[in-house]
Amino acid sequence: DDCTKKDLEALAVDMPNDTRAKSRGYPENGGLCFFIMEGTEKGVRERLATHSFTNTPTAETDRMNFFSLEVGKNRDKHEGTVPWNLDRIDSREGLDGKFEPMTPTGGEGIHVYVIDTGIRTTHTEFGGRAIPTLEINELATHVSRHACNPKFPKLCAWDEQGHGTFVAGIIGGSNVGVAPKATLHAVKLAGHYHTDKPWAEGKLSWLLDAYDWLLSNNLDIYTSIFSLSVAPDG
């Protein structure tokens, strides 16, 4: 609660050799309190030792998060009038071949921020309810937070891997989603490049940047939901 802009900016001043500041949170705008730096263990320890903190900070090594690109390939076969996920989610156990929405609104008025590999927002399942919102990427000198222009959906937070679109479909697809009237926001922090691996990768620090940007944009806490389907490294 005592973290300030001044505290975080001070960490980037006179940094030790072989270290550099990469990103920080914006608590002054309602975001998170964090500072991301890169360097040797010695340099990090030196930076922490020479800074004055109101509260004891927690230091953690950055690591990769993984988004499986095998989603949906091995799901149970089910022959029924509705998709398996909808048939299963509205029952305490078993399958009954039908789906009864949990609310009559179908999620209308709810905004779901799908933090993933992006969303193919033009997919017919979304009927114009999917919006490119934010893309996090690491450049040579800093972490980029790029707010998307919805007029150009393929230029920002576009899904090149499929995982995010699959997740968004489960959440809010017109025919396969549990909330078929919800608004879906594409937040991309993994899968920026094509890969032969069965997963897409995104750093934990990029997730902090995404959370910070979202929280700094005055979201309505009663109508906003964050979705994250990730397997952390370790």
Side-chain angles (χ1 to χ4, degrees):
D1 293 337
D2 297 324
C3 177
T4 67
K5 173 184 177 181
K6 183 178 179 180
D7 292 329
L8 297 177
E9 288 182 337
L11 281 167
V13 177
D14 297 328
M15 295 193 68
N17 293 332
D18 300 322
T19 66
R20 64 186 178 107
K22 296 187 67 176
S23 182
R24 76 167 180 89
Y26 291 82
E28 68 272 21
N29 295 332
L32 303 176
C33 177
F34 68 88
F35 178 79
I36 299 172
M37 64 180 292
E38 184 178 79
T40 62
E41 180 179 351
K42 178 182 177 181
V44 173
R45 289 184 178 278
E46 181 180 339
R47 172 72 290 186
L48 293 176
T50 56
H51 190 71
S52 177
F53 297 94
T54 303
N55 297 307
T56 303
T58 298
E60 186 172 349
T61 302
D62 203 0
R63 63 178 187 269
M64 283 292 182
N65 288 325
F66 299 97
F67 299 80
S68 172
L69 303 182
E70 300 292 316
V71 289
K73 292 185 178 180
N74 298 315
R75 63 181 183 274
D76 295 342
K77 293 182 179 179
H78 172 57
E79 295 181 3
T81 57
V82 296
W84 181 92
N85 63 302
L86 296 183
D87 193 348
R88 183 65 190 87
I89 199 171
D90 70 340
S91 303
R92 289 190 177 275
E93 59 182 46
L95 304 169
D96 58 11
K98 61 182 180 180
F99 171 63
E100 297 179 1
M102 300 174 191
T103 67
T105 64
E108 187 173 7
I110 300 300
H111 294 261
V112 183
Y113 294 81
V114 183
I115 304 170
D116 214 287
T117 61
I119 299 176
R120 182 151 67 90
T121 53
T122 58
H123 197 292
T124 56
E125 272 291 311
F126 305 131
R129 293 175 293 103
I131 303 171
T133 300
L134 175 68
E135 181 163 338
I136 304 293
N137 205 348
E138 186 167 326
L139 305 181
T141 59
H142 66 282
V143 176
S144 168
R145 304 178 177 190
H146 181 64
C148 303
N149 184 341
K151 294 181 179 180
F152 306 101
K154 294 185 179 181
L155 298 182
C156 185
W158 183 254
D159 188 7
E160 299 181 51
Q161 308 291 355
H163 187 278
T165 302
F166 180 85
V167 172
I170 293 174
I171 297 169
S174 296
N175 299 296
V176 298
V178 69
K181 295 183 180 180
T183 300
L184 305 164
H185 294 266
V187 178
K188 182 172 182 173
L189 51 72
H192 297 92
Y193 312 103
H194 290 289
T195 177
D196 294 328
K197 299 176 181 178
W199 64 80
E201 300 175 343
K203 291 183 178 180
L204 172 62
S205 57
W206 300 351
L207 177 60
L208 294 178
D209 272 289
Y211 280 149
D212 183 74
W213 187 92
L214 292 169
L215 293 171
S216 298
N217 276 269
N218 299 316
L219 302 184
D220 186 337
I221 62 173
Y222 297 105
T223 61
S224 300
I225 297 172
F226 294 173
S227 167
L228 181 66
S229 305
V230 64
D233 180 17

